[in-house]
Amino acid sequence: MKWWQKILAVITVIIGAGLCMAYLSMFISPATFWPAAFFGLAYLAFLIAFLLLMIPWYFLRKRIFIVQCLVIVLGWKAHFAYFGLHIFGKKPKTDDITILQYNVQAFDAYNKDGKFKHRPDIIQNIRDADADIICLEEFNTYQNHPTEPSSLDMVKEACGLPYFYYYKAYENKKATRSVGIILFSRYPIKASGNIAYEALSKLNSTIYADLDINGKTIRVFVSHLQSTQLSHYDLEFIEANDNNDTNFSAERFTNKLKSGYSMRARQVDSITQVIAHSPYPVISCGDFNDTPVSYAYRTMSANMQDAFLHSGFGIGATYAPFPFIRIDYMLYNEDAFTVTGYRRIKDKSSDHYACISSFRLSE
């Protein structure tokens, strides 16, 4: 083997090992061993690099190429979790249940260019979805404020849905402002509540609502799992021409990801226990703040199906700052529902895209 082939072989082994660690990250709880989660985050980069390395080995050493093929096959669970393969979805019927999942980023309340600058666009996205059930995270509204309008009233007017359950994760009564998770419904809400679990922020919580759909009861969970707590200082390196001009700290960035991964692992362990004991068919949606190649996603999607994977195509990115990351999901019990459509509203008024799925109740 020539010297440059030896170098290529070493690179192939390193990238292959990283890809295998990404596969394993789906099964290793970050609460136990947090470094594994970083490999899962880099799954797509490892996969692309490994596929590119397969090209020269096909011509140089067929045995190495065959081993590479086996490594790719070994990660089938990660591949099928990350990529949707349905170019043509099923045709929705008028009586199908349509659900909107949307992290509204507090309706752009903290925009430095103007408070609530993009709120009208976010409200319009909610109106355009024309959904039967609306699930919103980072919901921010004023109540009885003398000058500030109510986001709650705006959404109620836009969607026209008569029922809602609002869990106030944080409330400032003096400023008459609250933030939390809200679910709007065309169908009566028979019961509702929230799941208490450890979190770094009160905004990261999970609620549920039991909906009466023509005599059948379903339970809808809405989760906002632990975020990374990254600020604009942690992300400004993306657009910067010179890292010396930013306040970026690799140590701070890594520590925030580490704590977020570990906390999410404990949260999903708590949530899935509650979901498993649901007396009704379940749809579980929300901002999971993790990619499909992660312990959080694998745990949340256990014994459930992913609406995007069964009716979407490609990567289906939902986090606007990173166009190759999907962190918003709609999961469902396959024996109770059939997904009939999936689409995104790729509007950057929020840092998340709005996701819309249609479901059909099984007979």
Side-chain angles (χ1 to χ4, degrees), residues 110-159:
Y110 309 108
N111 191 324
K112 62 183 179 180
D113 295 327
K115 189 175 182 180
F116 297 115
K117 179 180 179 180
H118 294 297
R119 178 165 57 181
D121 300 311
I122 295 172
I123 298 292
Q124 186 61 48
N125 290 337
I126 295 172
R127 179 182 288 109
D128 291 343
D130 191 25
D132 301 303
I133 302 168
I134 296 174
C135 306
L136 306 177
E137 299 85 43
E138 293 191 28
F139 187 85
N140 181 335
T141 188
Y142 283 91
Q143 295 104 193
N144 304 315
H145 194 280
T147 58
E148 295 286 353
S150 164
S151 297
L152 177 59
D153 290 341
M154 291 180 178
V155 175
K156 287 170 65 176
E157 181 181 357
C159 69

Short mmCIF file of all heavy atoms in Angstrom, two decimals, residues 110-159:
data_model
loop_
_atom_site.label_atom_id
_atom_site.label_comp_id
_atom_site.label_asym_id
_atom_site.label_seq_id
_atom_site.Cartn_x
_atom_site.Cartn_y
_atom_site.Cartn_z
N TYR A 110 -38.17 39.57 21.47
CA TYR A 110 -36.87 40.07 21.86
C TYR A 110 -36.01 40.48 20.67
O TYR A 110 -34.79 40.52 20.75
CB TYR A 110 -36.15 39.00 22.70
CG TYR A 110 -37.01 38.49 23.83
CD1 TYR A 110 -37.57 37.21 23.77
CD2 TYR A 110 -37.29 39.29 24.92
CE1 TYR A 110 -38.37 36.75 24.80
CE2 TYR A 110 -38.10 38.84 25.95
CZ TYR A 110 -38.64 37.55 25.88
OH TYR A 110 -39.45 37.11 26.89
N ASN A 111 -36.66 40.80 19.58
CA ASN A 111 -35.93 41.22 18.39
C ASN A 111 -35.30 42.59 18.64
O ASN A 111 -35.99 43.56 18.99
CB ASN A 111 -36.90 41.31 17.20
CG ASN A 111 -36.19 41.48 15.87
OD1 ASN A 111 -35.17 42.17 15.78
ND2 ASN A 111 -36.71 40.87 14.83
N LYS A 112 -33.99 42.67 18.47
CA LYS A 112 -33.29 43.92 18.73
C LYS A 112 -33.64 45.02 17.73
O LYS A 112 -33.40 46.20 17.97
CB LYS A 112 -31.78 43.68 18.73
CG LYS A 112 -31.21 43.18 17.42
CD LYS A 112 -29.72 42.90 17.52
CE LYS A 112 -29.16 42.38 16.20
NZ LYS A 112 -27.70 42.11 16.29
N ASP A 113 -34.23 44.61 16.59
CA ASP A 113 -34.62 45.59 15.57
C ASP A 113 -36.04 46.10 15.78
O ASP A 113 -36.52 46.94 15.02
CB ASP A 113 -34.52 44.96 14.18
CG ASP A 113 -33.08 44.62 13.81
OD1 ASP A 113 -32.18 45.36 14.24
OD2 ASP A 113 -32.87 43.61 13.11
N GLY A 114 -36.71 45.57 16.79
CA GLY A 114 -38.08 46.01 17.06
C GLY A 114 -38.87 44.92 17.74
O GLY A 114 -38.99 43.81 17.22
N LYS A 115 -39.43 45.23 18.90
CA LYS A 115 -40.20 44.26 19.67
C LYS A 115 -41.40 43.76 18.87
O LYS A 115 -42.15 44.54 18.30
CB LYS A 115 -40.67 44.93 20.97
CG LYS A 115 -41.30 43.99 21.98
CD LYS A 115 -41.61 44.76 23.26
CE LYS A 115 -42.21 43.84 24.31
NZ LYS A 115 -42.51 44.60 25.56
N PHE A 116 -41.56 42.43 18.81
CA PHE A 116 -42.65 41.78 18.08
C PHE A 116 -42.66 42.14 16.60
O PHE A 116 -43.72 42.16 15.96
CB PHE A 116 -44.02 42.14 18.70
CG PHE A 116 -44.20 41.68 20.11
CD1 PHE A 116 -44.35 42.58 21.15
CD2 PHE A 116 -44.22 40.32 20.40
CE1 PHE A 116 -44.51 42.16 22.45
CE2 PHE A 116 -44.38 39.88 21.71
CZ PHE A 116 -44.53 40.80 22.74
N LYS A 117 -41.49 42.40 16.04
CA LYS A 117 -41.40 42.83 14.64
C LYS A 117 -42.06 41.83 13.70
O LYS A 117 -42.77 42.23 12.76
CB LYS A 117 -39.93 43.02 14.26
CG LYS A 117 -39.72 43.44 12.81
CD LYS A 117 -38.25 43.62 12.49
CE LYS A 117 -38.04 44.02 11.02
NZ LYS A 117 -36.59 44.21 10.70
N HIS A 118 -41.84 40.53 13.93
CA HIS A 118 -42.35 39.51 13.01
C HIS A 118 -43.61 38.80 13.54
O HIS A 118 -44.01 37.79 12.97
CB HIS A 118 -41.27 38.48 12.72
CG HIS A 118 -40.10 39.03 11.97
ND1 HIS A 118 -40.20 39.54 10.70
CD2 HIS A 118 -38.79 39.17 12.33
CE1 HIS A 118 -39.01 39.96 10.29
NE2 HIS A 118 -38.14 39.76 11.26
N ARG A 119 -44.20 39.34 14.60
CA ARG A 119 -45.41 38.69 15.13
C ARG A 119 -46.53 38.61 14.11
O ARG A 119 -47.18 37.56 13.99
CB ARG A 119 -45.90 39.40 16.40
CG ARG A 119 -47.18 38.78 16.96
CD ARG A 119 -47.48 39.21 18.38
NE ARG A 119 -47.58 40.65 18.51
CZ ARG A 119 -47.82 41.28 19.66
NH1 ARG A 119 -47.97 40.58 20.78
NH2 ARG A 119 -47.89 42.60 19.72
N PRO A 120 -46.79 39.65 13.34
CA PRO A 120 -47.86 39.53 12.33
C PRO A 120 -47.62 38.39 11.34
O PRO A 120 -48.58 37.70 10.93
CB PRO A 120 -47.83 40.89 11.62
CG PRO A 120 -47.25 41.84 12.62
CD PRO A 120 -46.23 41.02 13.36
N ASP A 121 -46.37 38.15 10.97
CA ASP A 121 -46.06 37.06 10.04
C ASP A 121 -46.26 35.70 10.70
O ASP A 121 -46.75 34.75 10.07
CB ASP A 121 -44.61 37.18 9.55
CG ASP A 121 -44.34 38.49 8.84
OD1 ASP A 121 -45.14 38.84 7.95
OD2 ASP A 121 -43.36 39.15 9.18
N ILE A 122 -45.90 35.58 11.97
CA ILE A 122 -46.10 34.34 12.70
C ILE A 122 -47.60 34.05 12.84
O ILE A 122 -48.04 32.91 12.64
CB ILE A 122 -45.42 34.41 14.08
CG1 ILE A 122 -43.91 34.52 13.90
CG2 ILE A 122 -45.77 33.18 14.92
CD1 ILE A 122 -43.15 34.79 15.20
N ILE A 123 -48.36 35.07 13.16
CA ILE A 123 -49.82 34.92 13.26
C ILE A 123 -50.40 34.50 11.91
O ILE A 123 -51.29 33.64 11.83
CB ILE A 123 -50.48 36.23 13.74
CG1 ILE A 123 -49.98 36.61 15.14
CG2 ILE A 123 -51.99 36.09 13.71
CD1 ILE A 123 -50.42 35.71 16.24
N GLN A 124 -49.89 35.07 10.84
CA GLN A 124 -50.37 34.72 9.50
C GLN A 124 -50.06 33.26 9.18
O GLN A 124 -50.88 32.57 8.56
CB GLN A 124 -49.74 35.64 8.45
CG GLN A 124 -50.29 35.45 7.04
CD GLN A 124 -51.77 35.75 6.95
OE1 GLN A 124 -52.25 36.78 7.44
NE2 GLN A 124 -52.54 34.86 6.33
N ASN A 125 -48.89 32.78 9.59
CA ASN A 125 -48.56 31.37 9.37
C ASN A 125 -49.54 30.46 10.09
O ASN A 125 -49.95 29.41 9.56
CB ASN A 125 -47.14 31.08 9.87
CG ASN A 125 -46.07 31.72 9.00
OD1 ASN A 125 -46.31 32.01 7.83
ND2 ASN A 125 -44.90 31.94 9.57
N ILE A 126 -49.94 30.85 11.30
CA ILE A 126 -50.92 30.07 12.06
C ILE A 126 -52.27 30.09 11.35
O ILE A 126 -52.95 29.06 11.23
CB ILE A 126 -51.04 30.63 13.49
CG1 ILE A 126 -49.72 30.43 14.24
CG2 ILE A 126 -52.20 29.97 14.23
CD1 ILE A 126 -49.65 31.11 15.60
N ARG A 127 -52.64 31.24 10.83
CA ARG A 127 -53.91 31.36 10.11
C ARG A 127 -53.89 30.51 8.83
O ARG A 127 -54.84 29.79 8.53
CB ARG A 127 -54.18 32.82 9.76
CG ARG A 127 -55.49 33.04 8.97
CD ARG A 127 -55.68 34.50 8.60
NE ARG A 127 -56.04 35.31 9.76
CZ ARG A 127 -55.23 36.19 10.34
NH1 ARG A 127 -54.00 36.38 9.87
NH2 ARG A 127 -55.63 36.89 11.37
N ASP A 128 -52.77 30.57 8.10
CA ASP A 128 -52.67 29.84 6.83
C ASP A 128 -52.70 28.32 7.03
O ASP A 128 -53.11 27.59 6.13
CB ASP A 128 -51.38 30.22 6.11
CG ASP A 128 -51.39 31.65 5.60
OD1 ASP A 128 -52.49 32.24 5.51
OD2 ASP A 128 -50.31 32.19 5.31
N ALA A 129 -52.27 27.86 8.20
CA ALA A 129 -52.26 26.41 8.45
C ALA A 129 -53.67 25.84 8.48
O ALA A 129 -53.88 24.68 8.12
CB ALA A 129 -51.55 26.12 9.77
N ASP A 130 -54.64 26.64 8.90
CA ASP A 130 -56.04 26.20 8.96
C ASP A 130 -56.15 24.84 9.65
O ASP A 130 -56.77 23.91 9.14
CB ASP A 130 -56.62 26.14 7.55
CG ASP A 130 -58.15 25.96 7.55
OD1 ASP A 130 -58.78 26.35 8.54
OD2 ASP A 130 -58.68 25.42 6.57
N ALA A 131 -55.53 24.74 10.82
CA ALA A 131 -55.43 23.46 11.52
C ALA A 131 -56.58 23.25 12.50
O ALA A 131 -57.20 24.20 12.98
CB ALA A 131 -54.10 23.38 12.25
N ASP A 132 -56.82 21.98 12.81
CA ASP A 132 -57.83 21.61 13.80
C ASP A 132 -57.25 21.62 15.21
O ASP A 132 -57.96 21.82 16.18
CB ASP A 132 -58.38 20.21 13.50
CG ASP A 132 -59.01 20.12 12.13
OD1 ASP A 132 -59.93 20.91 11.86
OD2 ASP A 132 -58.57 19.28 11.32
N ILE A 133 -55.95 21.35 15.29
CA ILE A 133 -55.24 21.36 16.57
C ILE A 133 -53.95 22.15 16.37
O ILE A 133 -53.22 21.91 15.41
CB ILE A 133 -54.91 19.93 17.05
CG1 ILE A 133 -56.20 19.11 17.19
CG2 ILE A 133 -54.15 19.95 18.36
CD1 ILE A 133 -55.94 17.61 17.39
N ILE A 134 -53.68 23.08 17.26
CA ILE A 134 -52.49 23.93 17.14
C ILE A 134 -51.66 23.80 18.41
O ILE A 134 -52.17 24.00 19.52
CB ILE A 134 -52.89 25.40 16.91
CG1 ILE A 134 -53.61 25.55 15.57
CG2 ILE A 134 -51.67 26.30 16.96
CD1 ILE A 134 -54.16 26.95 15.33
N CYS A 135 -50.39 23.45 18.25
CA CYS A 135 -49.48 23.27 19.38
C CYS A 135 -48.35 24.28 19.26
O CYS A 135 -47.58 24.24 18.29
CB CYS A 135 -48.92 21.85 19.39
SG CYS A 135 -50.20 20.55 19.35
N LEU A 136 -48.24 25.17 20.24
CA LEU A 136 -47.26 26.26 20.17
C LEU A 136 -46.37 26.26 21.40
O LEU A 136 -46.87 26.23 22.53
CB LEU A 136 -47.97 27.61 20.06
CG LEU A 136 -49.01 27.79 18.94
CD1 LEU A 136 -49.66 29.17 19.03
CD2 LEU A 136 -48.38 27.58 17.58
N GLU A 137 -45.05 26.29 21.16
CA GLU A 137 -44.10 26.42 22.25
C GLU A 137 -43.56 27.86 22.26
O GLU A 137 -43.65 28.57 21.28
CB GLU A 137 -42.93 25.44 22.09
CG GLU A 137 -43.33 23.98 22.09
CD GLU A 137 -43.76 23.51 20.72
OE1 GLU A 137 -43.08 23.86 19.73
OE2 GLU A 137 -44.78 22.78 20.64
N GLU A 138 -42.99 28.22 23.42
CA GLU A 138 -42.49 29.58 23.64
C GLU A 138 -43.58 30.61 23.36
O GLU A 138 -43.36 31.64 22.72
CB GLU A 138 -41.24 29.86 22.80
CG GLU A 138 -40.03 29.04 23.22
CD GLU A 138 -38.73 29.50 22.56
OE1 GLU A 138 -38.62 30.69 22.22
OE2 GLU A 138 -37.83 28.65 22.38
N PHE A 139 -44.78 30.30 23.84
CA PHE A 139 -45.92 31.18 23.67
C PHE A 139 -45.80 32.34 24.66
O PHE A 139 -45.64 32.13 25.86
CB PHE A 139 -47.22 30.40 23.90
CG PHE A 139 -48.46 31.17 23.58
CD1 PHE A 139 -48.95 31.20 22.28
CD2 PHE A 139 -49.14 31.87 24.57
CE1 PHE A 139 -50.11 31.92 21.98
CE2 PHE A 139 -50.28 32.58 24.28
CZ PHE A 139 -50.77 32.60 22.98
N ASN A 140 -45.89 33.55 24.15
CA ASN A 140 -45.69 34.75 24.96
C ASN A 140 -46.89 35.67 24.77
O ASN A 140 -47.27 35.99 23.64
CB ASN A 140 -44.40 35.46 24.50
CG ASN A 140 -44.08 36.70 25.30
OD1 ASN A 140 -44.94 37.34 25.87
ND2 ASN A 140 -42.79 37.06 25.33
N THR A 141 -47.51 36.09 25.88
CA THR A 141 -48.68 36.97 25.75
C THR A 141 -48.79 37.91 26.94
O THR A 141 -48.32 37.60 28.03
CB THR A 141 -49.97 36.15 25.62
OG1 THR A 141 -51.07 37.03 25.31
CG2 THR A 141 -50.28 35.38 26.89
N TYR A 142 -49.41 39.05 26.69
CA TYR A 142 -49.74 39.97 27.76
C TYR A 142 -51.22 39.79 28.12
O TYR A 142 -52.05 39.48 27.27
CB TYR A 142 -49.50 41.42 27.32
CG TYR A 142 -48.05 41.82 27.33
CD1 TYR A 142 -47.27 41.67 26.19
CD2 TYR A 142 -47.46 42.35 28.48
CE1 TYR A 142 -45.92 42.03 26.19
CE2 TYR A 142 -46.11 42.71 28.48
CZ TYR A 142 -45.36 42.56 27.34
OH TYR A 142 -44.05 42.91 27.35
N GLN A 143 -51.52 40.00 29.40
CA GLN A 143 -52.91 39.95 29.86
C GLN A 143 -53.26 41.26 30.55
O GLN A 143 -52.58 41.66 31.50
CB GLN A 143 -53.12 38.80 30.86
CG GLN A 143 -52.93 37.41 30.27
CD GLN A 143 -51.60 36.76 30.69
OE1 GLN A 143 -51.20 35.77 30.12
NE2 GLN A 143 -50.94 37.33 31.69
N ASN A 144 -54.25 41.93 30.05
CA ASN A 144 -54.74 43.17 30.68
C ASN A 144 -53.68 44.26 30.79
O ASN A 144 -53.65 45.03 31.74
CB ASN A 144 -55.30 42.87 32.08
CG ASN A 144 -56.38 41.81 32.05
OD1 ASN A 144 -57.27 41.85 31.20
ND2 ASN A 144 -56.31 40.87 32.98
N HIS A 145 -52.80 44.28 29.79
CA HIS A 145 -51.78 45.33 29.79
C HIS A 145 -52.38 46.59 29.16
O HIS A 145 -53.11 46.52 28.17
CB HIS A 145 -50.56 44.87 28.99
CG HIS A 145 -49.35 45.71 29.20
ND1 HIS A 145 -49.16 46.92 28.56
CD2 HIS A 145 -48.25 45.53 30.00
CE1 HIS A 145 -48.00 47.44 28.94
NE2 HIS A 145 -47.43 46.62 29.81
N PRO A 146 -52.08 47.76 29.71
CA PRO A 146 -52.71 48.99 29.19
C PRO A 146 -52.30 49.35 27.76
O PRO A 146 -53.06 50.02 27.05
CB PRO A 146 -52.25 50.06 30.18
CG PRO A 146 -51.02 49.50 30.82
CD PRO A 146 -51.24 48.03 30.88
N THR A 147 -51.11 48.91 27.33
CA THR A 147 -50.66 49.30 25.98
C THR A 147 -50.29 48.12 25.10
O THR A 147 -50.41 48.20 23.88
CB THR A 147 -49.43 50.25 26.08
OG1 THR A 147 -48.38 49.58 26.80
CG2 THR A 147 -49.80 51.54 26.80
N GLU A 148 -49.81 47.02 25.68
CA GLU A 148 -49.37 45.89 24.89
C GLU A 148 -50.55 44.98 24.50
O GLU A 148 -51.34 44.59 25.36
CB GLU A 148 -48.34 45.04 25.65
CG GLU A 148 -47.03 45.76 25.93
CD GLU A 148 -46.18 45.90 24.68
OE1 GLU A 148 -46.57 45.33 23.64
OE2 GLU A 148 -45.14 46.57 24.75
N PRO A 149 -50.69 44.65 23.21
CA PRO A 149 -51.78 43.76 22.79
C PRO A 149 -51.53 42.32 23.23
O PRO A 149 -50.41 41.94 23.54
CB PRO A 149 -51.75 43.88 21.26
CG PRO A 149 -50.34 44.26 20.94
CD PRO A 149 -49.87 45.11 22.08
N SER A 150 -52.59 41.55 23.27
CA SER A 150 -52.53 40.16 23.71
C SER A 150 -52.27 39.23 22.53
O SER A 150 -53.08 39.17 21.59
CB SER A 150 -53.84 39.77 24.41
OG SER A 150 -53.95 38.38 24.53
N SER A 151 -51.17 38.47 22.58
CA SER A 151 -50.91 37.47 21.54
C SER A 151 -51.96 36.37 21.59
O SER A 151 -52.33 35.82 20.55
CB SER A 151 -49.52 36.86 21.74
OG SER A 151 -48.50 37.81 21.61
N LEU A 152 -52.46 36.07 22.77
CA LEU A 152 -53.50 35.05 22.92
C LEU A 152 -54.74 35.44 22.14
O LEU A 152 -55.31 34.63 21.39
CB LEU A 152 -53.83 34.85 24.39
CG LEU A 152 -54.96 33.86 24.71
CD1 LEU A 152 -54.64 32.47 24.17
CD2 LEU A 152 -55.22 33.80 26.21
N ASP A 153 -55.17 36.68 22.27
CA ASP A 153 -56.36 37.14 21.54
C ASP A 153 -56.11 37.13 20.04
O ASP A 153 -57.01 36.80 19.25
CB ASP A 153 -56.74 38.55 22.00
CG ASP A 153 -57.29 38.58 23.42
OD1 ASP A 153 -57.72 37.51 23.90
OD2 ASP A 153 -57.28 39.65 24.05
N MET A 154 -54.90 37.48 19.63
CA MET A 154 -54.57 37.49 18.21
C MET A 154 -54.66 36.08 17.61
O MET A 154 -55.21 35.89 16.53
CB MET A 154 -53.15 38.04 17.99
CG MET A 154 -52.99 39.52 18.28
SD MET A 154 -51.26 40.02 17.97
CE MET A 154 -51.39 41.77 18.32
N VAL A 155 -54.10 35.11 18.32
CA VAL A 155 -54.12 33.74 17.80
C VAL A 155 -55.55 33.18 17.80
O VAL A 155 -55.96 32.50 16.85
CB VAL A 155 -53.18 32.83 18.62
CG1 VAL A 155 -53.29 31.38 18.16
CG2 VAL A 155 -51.74 33.30 18.49
N LYS A 156 -56.30 33.47 18.85
CA LYS A 156 -57.69 32.99 18.92
C LYS A 156 -58.50 33.52 17.74
O LYS A 156 -59.28 32.81 17.11
CB LYS A 156 -58.33 33.43 20.24
CG LYS A 156 -57.83 32.65 21.45
CD LYS A 156 -58.29 33.28 22.76
CE LYS A 156 -59.80 33.21 22.93
NZ LYS A 156 -60.21 33.74 24.26
N GLU A 157 -58.28 34.78 17.40
CA GLU A 157 -58.98 35.38 16.26
C GLU A 157 -58.51 34.78 14.95
O GLU A 157 -59.30 34.53 14.03
CB GLU A 157 -58.77 36.89 16.26
CG GLU A 157 -59.50 37.59 15.12
CD GLU A 157 -59.25 39.09 15.11
OE1 GLU A 157 -58.57 39.60 16.01
OE2 GLU A 157 -59.74 39.75 14.17
N ALA A 158 -57.19 34.51 14.85
CA ALA A 158 -56.63 34.00 13.59
C ALA A 158 -57.06 32.56 13.32
O ALA A 158 -57.36 32.21 12.17
CB ALA A 158 -55.11 34.09 13.63
N CYS A 159 -57.08 31.72 14.34
CA CYS A 159 -57.35 30.30 14.11
C CYS A 159 -58.83 29.96 14.24
O CYS A 159 -59.30 28.98 13.66
CB CYS A 159 -56.52 29.43 15.05
SG CYS A 159 -56.99 29.53 16.80
#
